Short mmCIF file of all heavy atoms in Angstrom, two decimals:
data_model
loop_
_atom_site.label_atom_id
_atom_site.label_comp_id
_atom_site.label_asym_id
_atom_site.label_seq_id
_atom_site.Cartn_x
_atom_site.Cartn_y
_atom_site.Cartn_z
N GLU A 160 -1.56 -10.01 -3.24
CA GLU A 160 -2.11 -9.69 -1.93
C GLU A 160 -2.42 -8.20 -1.92
O GLU A 160 -1.75 -7.42 -2.59
CB GLU A 160 -1.11 -10.03 -0.83
CG GLU A 160 -0.82 -11.52 -0.77
CD GLU A 160 0.12 -11.90 0.36
OE1 GLU A 160 -0.07 -11.37 1.48
OE2 GLU A 160 1.03 -12.70 0.11
N TYR A 161 -3.45 -7.82 -1.18
CA TYR A 161 -3.84 -6.42 -1.13
C TYR A 161 -4.52 -6.14 0.20
O TYR A 161 -4.81 -7.05 0.97
CB TYR A 161 -4.76 -6.06 -2.32
CG TYR A 161 -6.08 -6.79 -2.33
CD1 TYR A 161 -7.24 -6.18 -1.86
CD2 TYR A 161 -6.17 -8.08 -2.83
CE1 TYR A 161 -8.45 -6.85 -1.88
CE2 TYR A 161 -7.38 -8.75 -2.86
CZ TYR A 161 -8.52 -8.14 -2.38
OH TYR A 161 -9.71 -8.80 -2.39
N VAL A 162 -4.78 -4.87 0.45
CA VAL A 162 -5.48 -4.46 1.67
C VAL A 162 -6.83 -3.89 1.26
O VAL A 162 -6.90 -2.97 0.45
CB VAL A 162 -4.67 -3.42 2.48
CG1 VAL A 162 -5.44 -3.00 3.71
CG2 VAL A 162 -3.32 -3.99 2.86
N HIS A 163 -7.87 -4.46 1.81
CA HIS A 163 -9.24 -4.00 1.60
C HIS A 163 -9.58 -3.13 2.81
O HIS A 163 -9.37 -3.54 3.94
CB HIS A 163 -10.15 -5.23 1.53
CG HIS A 163 -11.59 -4.95 1.35
ND1 HIS A 163 -12.21 -5.05 0.13
CD2 HIS A 163 -12.56 -4.60 2.23
CE1 HIS A 163 -13.49 -4.78 0.28
NE2 HIS A 163 -13.72 -4.49 1.54
N HIS A 164 -10.06 -1.92 2.57
CA HIS A 164 -10.38 -1.02 3.68
C HIS A 164 -11.89 -0.94 3.86
O HIS A 164 -12.63 -0.85 2.89
CB HIS A 164 -9.83 0.39 3.43
CG HIS A 164 -8.35 0.45 3.53
ND1 HIS A 164 -7.52 0.24 2.46
CD2 HIS A 164 -7.55 0.68 4.58
CE1 HIS A 164 -6.27 0.35 2.85
NE2 HIS A 164 -6.26 0.61 4.14
N THR A 165 -12.31 -0.98 5.10
CA THR A 165 -13.71 -0.74 5.43
C THR A 165 -13.75 0.44 6.38
O THR A 165 -12.76 0.77 7.03
CB THR A 165 -14.37 -1.96 6.10
OG1 THR A 165 -13.67 -2.26 7.31
CG2 THR A 165 -14.34 -3.17 5.18
N THR A 166 -14.91 1.08 6.43
CA THR A 166 -15.07 2.21 7.34
C THR A 166 -16.25 1.95 8.24
O THR A 166 -17.12 1.14 7.94
CB THR A 166 -15.30 3.52 6.57
OG1 THR A 166 -16.51 3.41 5.83
CG2 THR A 166 -14.15 3.82 5.63
N GLY A 167 -16.29 2.63 9.35
CA GLY A 167 -17.42 2.51 10.26
C GLY A 167 -17.03 1.93 11.59
O GLY A 167 -15.86 1.64 11.85
N PRO A 168 -18.01 1.71 12.43
CA PRO A 168 -17.73 1.30 13.80
C PRO A 168 -17.41 -0.18 13.96
O PRO A 168 -16.98 -0.59 15.02
CB PRO A 168 -19.04 1.63 14.53
CG PRO A 168 -20.08 1.50 13.46
CD PRO A 168 -19.41 1.98 12.20
N VAL A 169 -17.58 -1.02 12.92
CA VAL A 169 -17.38 -2.46 13.06
C VAL A 169 -15.94 -2.81 12.73
O VAL A 169 -15.45 -2.48 11.66
CB VAL A 169 -18.34 -3.23 12.13
CG1 VAL A 169 -18.12 -4.71 12.27
CG2 VAL A 169 -19.78 -2.87 12.47
N ALA A 170 -15.26 -3.49 13.62
CA ALA A 170 -13.89 -3.91 13.38
C ALA A 170 -13.89 -5.11 12.44
O ALA A 170 -14.77 -5.96 12.49
CB ALA A 170 -13.20 -4.28 14.69
N VAL A 171 -12.86 -5.22 11.60
CA VAL A 171 -12.75 -6.31 10.64
C VAL A 171 -12.36 -7.61 11.31
O VAL A 171 -12.37 -8.66 10.71
CB VAL A 171 -11.76 -5.93 9.52
CG1 VAL A 171 -11.62 -7.03 8.51
CG2 VAL A 171 -12.23 -4.67 8.83
N SER A 172 -12.08 -7.59 12.59
CA SER A 172 -11.75 -8.83 13.28
C SER A 172 -12.91 -9.80 13.27
O SER A 172 -12.77 -10.96 13.57
CB SER A 172 -11.30 -8.54 14.72
OG SER A 172 -12.36 -7.92 15.42
N ASN A 173 -14.10 -9.32 12.90
CA ASN A 173 -15.27 -10.18 12.76
C ASN A 173 -15.75 -10.10 11.31
O ASN A 173 -16.74 -9.45 11.01
CB ASN A 173 -16.38 -9.75 13.72
CG ASN A 173 -17.55 -10.70 13.68
OD1 ASN A 173 -17.55 -11.70 12.96
ND2 ASN A 173 -18.56 -10.39 14.46
N PRO A 174 -15.03 -10.75 10.35
CA PRO A 174 -15.36 -10.60 8.94
C PRO A 174 -16.70 -11.21 8.54
O PRO A 174 -17.19 -10.92 7.47
CB PRO A 174 -14.21 -11.31 8.24
CG PRO A 174 -13.62 -12.22 9.23
CD PRO A 174 -13.87 -11.58 10.58
N SER A 175 -17.34 -12.00 9.38
CA SER A 175 -18.64 -12.56 9.00
C SER A 175 -19.66 -11.46 8.75
O SER A 175 -20.57 -11.63 7.95
CB SER A 175 -19.14 -13.51 10.08
OG SER A 175 -19.37 -12.80 11.29
N ILE A 176 -19.49 -10.32 9.37
CA ILE A 176 -20.40 -9.20 9.18
C ILE A 176 -20.23 -8.63 7.77
O ILE A 176 -21.16 -8.12 7.18
CB ILE A 176 -20.14 -8.11 10.22
CG1 ILE A 176 -20.35 -8.66 11.62
CG2 ILE A 176 -21.03 -6.89 10.00
CD1 ILE A 176 -19.85 -7.74 12.71
#
Side-chain angles (χ1 to χ4, degrees):
E160 296 183 43
Y161 64 99
V162 178
H163 179 100
H164 289 90
T165 60
T166 63
V169 180
V171 180
S172 61
N173 185 2
S175 64
I176 300 168

